[in-house]
Amino acid sequence: MNTLKPTKSQESSNAIERMYTAMRHLFNRGFYKPMGVSGQTLRESLLLLRPEIYGSIADENTELDGLLYVIERLPEGIEECQFINLTSDEGYKDSHYTPIIPEKRRRNCYRIDKDQMNIEITRGRSDIYDVLTHLTFLFIESHKIKNNILIDEEGITIREWMHLEEVVLNNKELSDNEREVLITHLANILGRTFIEVKQIAQSFATKENPNKFFNCIFWMGKLALNETLLNKKRTIVFSTSLRERIGHHIYGDKWANSIKEVLDKNNLIKRPIHIISANMHSVMNSIYAPIILSKEAKLNEGIALFELLSKKANASLQKKVKEHASQNGLIYVKDTSGTNINVQIIDTEKINFKGSKYSFSKELSEENKPIIIVMDYAFGEQAFETLDELLKPFVCKKEKIHHLNVESVSIMGKAGILQGGKGDIMIPSAHIFEGTADNYPFTNELKKEDLEGFGLNVYEGSMVTVLGTSLQNRDLLEFFHNSTWRAIGLEMEGAHYQKAIQSASKIRGNISENVKVRYAYYASDNPLETGGTLASGGLGTTGVRPTYVITQKILEQIFSA
């Protein structure tokens, strides 16, 4: 009798489902010990899944690129902490604690004492899943280090470890020769070559902390030793406030109301509105830079001007554009809600378009000139919370209800591509929600031909909205790409945005059912390509061209409407 075995992609899908079920259970429970029995399902599922982003997590050797990726997204010093508390916004910003913001994630974290780190979760469940998967990886790697340094159950360690301990605990300054000796010892501890460890140590190093990699490895190993020898288990706690607030749109509601209050205060609430989810520079620069930087625009035609602006050395030019914009229709709304999503409101009636490539296709009265709301990137499920609240009617102080005249919603973002490479463009025709049969086809105002001819490859098709980019592996991605789903890429927000747009326009009647929708993504990585994952490094200047090509096409359609 033949037994049907699940395919590798089915096994991977089941592993992801088990992980999310376990995380929801642990969240409701209120605490767990990641390397104890309660964290076993998470560890086993992650090791079975072997996500591309975490490289060789299932091997005995320490995974270096994945470690750098994770450390950049967790607060500085978290590897030293036995207790990690996930909280909501509970007033720490008004305390003596200094917020620690990870380099590659917008979240406030607070070092309470030498043993405890608090991480504020204000961006929804996706933020919790992101933190927990990264921590699970970190703790698995820490026990690999422990296994390589511990000689016996009495706690005797290899001499290389004692050398590392001396350097870290004494904050010892190292000569070039001493650094290479330590790197040689670390290569033995980590099961990696000398050159691999030397290169990753350079990637970790900062001006303030050139020994960051050495410190990180020591504390990872030290806490793993404490768990094994002293039974000092690392513990993750979810605060009562976080468990009560999650899923109730508390932060999204506060965020959306602050934007509508600014619109109302400036008599913009009744004007035609175009919402763009993007970064905080490309729309502003595309509109204002050619106007104020006319000299530079002549010397740097087209995208070259924005490549010039993207360089750190040209901060004075960036400042000039910001100052001009703030005096000519741009209102900056800094987030105070906890969503970590800043906003720009651009009143096109106050812009003198002389020198700009944009102009209205027809004469418009002042009240018909559009308002552009640029919202910074949301994170996962937060996309639904924020856009859903933003599209709701505004009740002003006079108790009058104002339905926003939203004419279009445009989403520009980074995504993983399944064919092509970094910097290429994806135009989705539908979003498929991973782990469910939910799918969101839509009419995209942006077409493949709109973005061709700029030296970039452009792909059109369905895209997968994943529960977490850090949980995708090759088998699962190849299934989405090669099956009849014919997915061209993966990202974390598309289905959530579309769910908010459809409910507001097709069911609730909060905005016009004829609202125009635009989606375009540029490739930050190719997870099916060896060395092409996010862990291999950022886009650098590769992302400038697709960012501005997409932005300009969105603006052209808004102004020609």
Side-chain angles (χ1 to χ4, degrees):
M1 180 178 173
N2 290 330
T3 307
L4 289 174
K5 281 189 69 178
T7 64
K8 286 185 177 180
S9 64
Q10 287 170 332
E11 286 180 347
S12 299
S13 184
N14 289 339
I16 291 176
E17 191 173 340
R18 280 197 303 276
M19 282 198 74
Y20 281 99
T21 301
M23 285 191 276
R24 283 193 293 270
H25 166 71
L26 295 170
F27 175 72
N28 291 330
R29 181 188 183 201
F31 75 97
Y32 79 106
K33 295 178 180 178
M35 298 310 290
V37 175
S38 52
Q40 186 172 350
T41 301
L42 283 186
R43 298 196 309 273
E44 289 178 349
S45 298
L46 200 62
L47 288 168
L48 173 66
L49 192 59
R50 300 188 185 194
E52 296 301 306
I53 211 80
Y54 295 143
S56 56
I57 185 174
D59 297 346
E60 290 182 6
N61 300 335
T62 302
E63 165 55 35
L64 300 180
D65 287 336
L67 181 60
L68 176 61
Y69 176 86
V70 164
I71 288 296
E72 287 178 337
R73 285 155 179 80
L74 292 173
E76 184 98 20
I78 196 166
E79 67 277 3
E80 302 172 20
C81 297
Q82 181 185 347
F83 303 100
I84 298 167
N85 289 16
L86 273 58
T87 73
S88 62
D89 181 356
E90 297 174 19
Y92 289 106
K93 63 177 176 289
D94 299 321
S95 69
H96 73 278
Y97 297 114
T98 303
I100 305 168
I101 302 172
E103 186 182 340
K104 298 286 180 74
R105 281 285 186 269
R106 294 196 303 267
R107 53 171 76 105
N108 292 329
C109 309
Y110 301 91
R111 185 72 177 265
I112 304 304
D113 55 34
K114 70 181 182 66
D115 294 318
Q116 181 178 332
M117 180 74 75
N118 282 17
I119 301 176
E120 271 188 7
I121 302 293
T122 57
R123 307 176 76 184
R125 289 187 181 89
S126 297
D127 221 11
I128 295 173
Y129 302 153
D130 188 62
V131 170
L132 294 188
T133 50
H134 289 339
L135 287 174
T136 303
F137 165 84
L138 191 70
F139 298 156
I140 289 171
E141 293 297 319
S142 74
H143 274 253
K144 289 185 192 176
I145 296 167
K146 181 263 298 179
N147 292 339
N148 287 340
I149 62 175
L150 194 59
I151 294 174
D152 60 28
E153 294 177 3
E154 301 299 316
I156 304 298
T157 56
I158 61 175
R159 74 180 188 91
E160 290 91 339
W161 177 255
M162 290 186 276
H163 186 185
L164 176 64
E165 183 175 41
E166 182 190 355
V167 169
V168 171
L169 293 184
N170 295 309
N171 198 21
K172 191 175 176 183
E173 284 191 29
L174 300 170
S175 65
D176 289 344
N177 183 56
E178 288 171 326
R179 182 175 294 276
E180 292 202 341
V181 169
L182 185 57
I183 287 171
T184 301
H185 290 334
L186 275 176
N188 184 42
I189 291 170
L190 304 175
R192 292 292 180 180
T193 65
F194 173 84
I195 192 64
E196 286 175 327
V197 176
K198 186 176 181 179
Q199 288 171 346
I200 202 70
Q202 289 170 347
S203 298
F204 266 78
T206 63
K207 189 177 180 181
E208 300 77 24
N209 188 2
N211 292 340
K212 184 176 179 179
F213 179 67
F214 306 146
N215 295 344
C216 181
I217 295 300
F218 171 74
W219 286 108
M220 285 171 67
K222 177 68 174 172
L223 265 65
L225 284 173
N226 288 348
E227 286 190 314
T228 302
L229 301 173
L230 306 175
N231 201 32
K232 289 185 174 180
K233 300 292 185 186
R234 282 171 282 197
T235 305
I236 294 175
V237 175
F238 306 95
S239 76
T240 303
S241 178
L242 176 63
R243 284 183 285 148
E244 287 173 350
R245 291 183 180 185
I246 204 77
H248 293 296
H249 289 204
I250 290 168
Y251 300 107
D253 177 56
K254 188 178 176 184
W255 172 82
N257 274 329
S258 68
I259 297 164
K260 293 168 192 173
E261 284 166 5
V262 173
L263 291 171
D264 191 36
K265 181 182 175 183
N266 290 276
N267 297 315
L268 306 175
I269 200 83
K270 294 180 181 178
R271 298 263 292 277
I273 291 172
H274 297 268
I275 298 168
I276 304 176
S277 172
N279 51 61
M280 287 285 99
H281 59 81
S282 62
V283 175
M284 176 182 69
N285 286 346
S286 293
I287 294 173
Y288 292 102
I291 299 171
I292 189 64
L293 303 178
S294 54
K295 180 183 172 184
E296 289 81 2
K298 285 178 183 175
L299 296 171
N300 299 272
E301 293 185 3
I303 304 298
L305 175 64
F306 308 118
E307 290 173 335
L308 185 75
L309 276 169
S310 70
K311 295 174 182 173
K312 288 182 180 178
N314 294 320
S316 59
L317 293 179
Q318 297 165 16
K319 185 180 178 184
K320 197 173 179 182
V321 173
K322 285 181 183 176
E323 288 175 350
H324 175 82
S326 64
Q327 294 164 9
N328 292 271
L330 187 145
I331 303 167
Y332 180 65
V333 185
K334 185 168 177 58
D335 177 61
T336 57
S337 68
T339 61
N340 282 309
I341 298 177
N342 297 318
V343 168
Q344 295 164 337
I345 298 172
I346 300 173
D347 180 359
T348 60
E349 197 276 325
K350 293 184 177 175
I351 302 172
N352 180 350
F353 286 97
K354 186 178 179 182
S356 168
K357 68 174 289 186
Y358 305 109
S359 60
F360 297 112
S361 59
K362 54 191 175 188
E363 258 331 292
L364 294 173
S365 60
E366 180 181 332
E367 62 269 20
N368 286 320
K369 286 187 177 176
I371 301 300
I372 299 173
I373 297 176
V374 184
M375 58 180 282
D376 208 344
Y377 297 119
F379 187 72
E381 288 184 13
Q382 188 191 34
F384 175 74
E385 175 178 340
T386 49
L387 193 56
D388 183 58
E389 293 297 330
L390 185 57
L391 298 178
K392 286 179 181 176
F394 174 60
V395 182
C396 66
K397 290 178 181 177
K398 297 177 182 177
E399 297 298 311
K400 188 175 179 182
I401 298 173
H402 299 276
H403 281 79
L404 300 187
N405 181 15
V406 178
E407 294 195 347
S408 75
V409 180
S410 303
I411 312 297
M412 179 189 74
K414 291 184 288 187
I417 197 167
L418 300 180
Q419 57 187 104
K422 288 186 178 184
D424 288 343
I425 292 175
M426 291 157 277
I427 306 295
S429 54
H431 290 292
I432 308 155
F433 196 25
E434 181 187 45
T436 71
D438 297 353
N439 52 84
Y440 299 86
F442 52 87
T443 302
N444 195 340
E445 296 294 316
L446 291 172
K447 306 298 179 190
K448 183 179 177 182
E449 53 268 26
D450 294 333
L451 294 146
E452 290 179 325
F454 295 94
L456 301 164
N457 294 320
V458 185
Y459 301 92
E460 199 166 28
S462 60
M463 290 188 71
V464 185
T465 297
V466 297
L467 295 161
T469 52
S470 58
L471 288 182
Q472 308 310 304
N473 71 6
R474 181 176 295 273
D475 298 314
L476 201 56
L477 297 176
E478 284 180 342
F479 164 75
F480 278 121
H481 182 49
N482 298 327
S483 71
T484 51
W485 286 117
R486 292 189 293 276
I488 58 171
L490 65 146
E491 46 74 55
M492 283 184 65
E493 292 80 30
H496 301 297
Y497 277 128
Q498 191 59 25
K499 184 164 61 172
I501 294 166
Q502 287 183 191
S503 65
S505 61
K506 309 294 184 187
I507 301 171
R508 290 167 158 176
N510 289 338
I511 61 172
S512 168
E513 64 177 326
N514 297 317
V515 62
K516 292 181 178 177
V517 178
R518 305 179 189 92
Y519 287 90
Y521 300 91
Y522 59 94
S524 57
D525 64 304
N526 184 335
L528 291 179
E529 220 174 64
T530 302
T533 69
L534 283 169
S536 67
L539 270 169
T541 56
T542 309
V544 176
R545 178 170 292 273
T547 297
Y548 281 92
V549 166
I550 295 168
T551 302
Q552 291 186 351
K553 286 298 168 184
I554 289 171
L555 290 174
E556 281 175 16
Q557 291 195 2
I558 289 172
F559 283 107
S560 65

